[in-house]
Amino acid sequence: MRNVFVHETSCIDNGTTIGEGTKIWHFCHIQSGAAIGKNCSLGQNVNVSNNVRIGDGCKIQNNVSIYEGVELESYVFCGPSCVFTNDLTPRAKYPKGSKHYKKTVVREGASIGANATIVCGHEIGAWALIGSGAVVTMDVPAHALMLGVPARQKGWVCECGEVLGDGLSCPTCNRSYRHDGEGIREVR
């Protein structure tokens, strides 16, 4: 692990891959088979379970557990204490094992707010923004702004993070978007 910072209180199991420039702070646990990309930051008390894939440039804040079956593409932001699941009907007495976990994919650049819950088996689209405390129970389109319990779409968000108005043009970075039938896409 070249040019990787791991705090002395963290535990890195054998069989992990951690990209250059990644920082792993206090009391983290990275389990075997996990792969973390370059230039990521894992805050205090982050757990990355077996076989999880995390792309480059991700920022995972304090107290987040990323369970097997969850994949984060590059530049995903996970706010403090956000929650992922991997089993819709768990039972302590009747564990199903990893072959029955529901896959959750968080696409490039998406952000998940503090204390949000992502119910397994769904996809969070690229550059989507999940508000703090929201509970995601469905697939989320790219660039969607999702708020509430259960989370409902309340608008669109630019790649830079600015909430877009009706004209779908960003006043901050000047990107423009158009509806494409499934969501919005940047006009180039």
Side-chain angles (χ1 to χ4, degrees):
M1 292 189 296
R2 246 181 54 199
N3 196 23
V4 171
F5 171 80
V6 178
H7 191 272
E8 64 186 25
T9 60
S10 290
C11 178
I12 310 297
D13 291 352
N14 291 328
T16 62
T17 304
I18 300 172
E20 187 174 344
T22 289
K23 294 179 176 129
I24 300 172
W25 294 99
H26 303 73
F27 311 112
C28 293
H29 184 190
I30 313 303
Q31 296 180 29
S32 65
I36 300 171
K38 297 176 185 174
N39 301 312
C40 293
S41 177
L42 280 66
Q44 181 175 297
N45 196 38
V46 169
N47 179 63
V48 178
S49 291
N50 298 322
N51 307 314
V52 166
R53 299 288 174 258
I54 297 173
D56 296 336
C58 291
K59 299 215 180 305
I60 303 164
Q61 301 296 334
N62 297 349
N63 305 311
V64 175
S65 291
I66 304 172
Y67 295 114
E68 189 168 0
V70 176
E71 177 184 343
L72 307 181
E73 291 186 349
S74 294
Y75 305 105
V76 168
F77 177 87
C78 295
S81 302
C82 75
V83 176
F84 292 97
T85 65
N86 63 7
D87 186 342
L88 291 172
T89 57
R91 293 285 193 220
K93 187 174 179 180
Y94 303 102
K96 297 177 191 109
S98 60
K99 66 182 177 184
H100 296 287
Y101 293 157
K102 303 290 182 190
K103 188 168 179 74
T104 298
V105 178
V106 183
R107 298 287 180 202
E108 180 181 6
S111 291
I112 301 169
N115 294 305
T117 298
I118 309 303
V119 176
C120 60
H122 301 292
E123 180 177 306
I124 309 295
W127 309 106
L129 179 61
I130 311 302
S132 295
V135 177
V136 173
T137 60
M138 66 179 91
D139 288 348
V140 173
H143 295 277
L145 171 63
M146 304 293 286
L147 304 173
V149 178
R152 297 286 181 242
Q153 187 174 354
K154 299 297 183 179
W156 300 105
V157 180
C158 180
E159 182 175 320
C160 76
E162 187 75 33
V163 176
L164 299 171
D166 292 338
L168 298 179
S169 292
C170 181
T172 302
C173 72
N174 298 315
R175 286 183 177 90
S176 292
Y177 297 85
R178 65 175 170 77
H179 289 279
D180 69 358
E182 294 181 19
I184 64 170
R185 297 214 186 276
E186 186 176 354
V187 178
R188 299 202 183 250

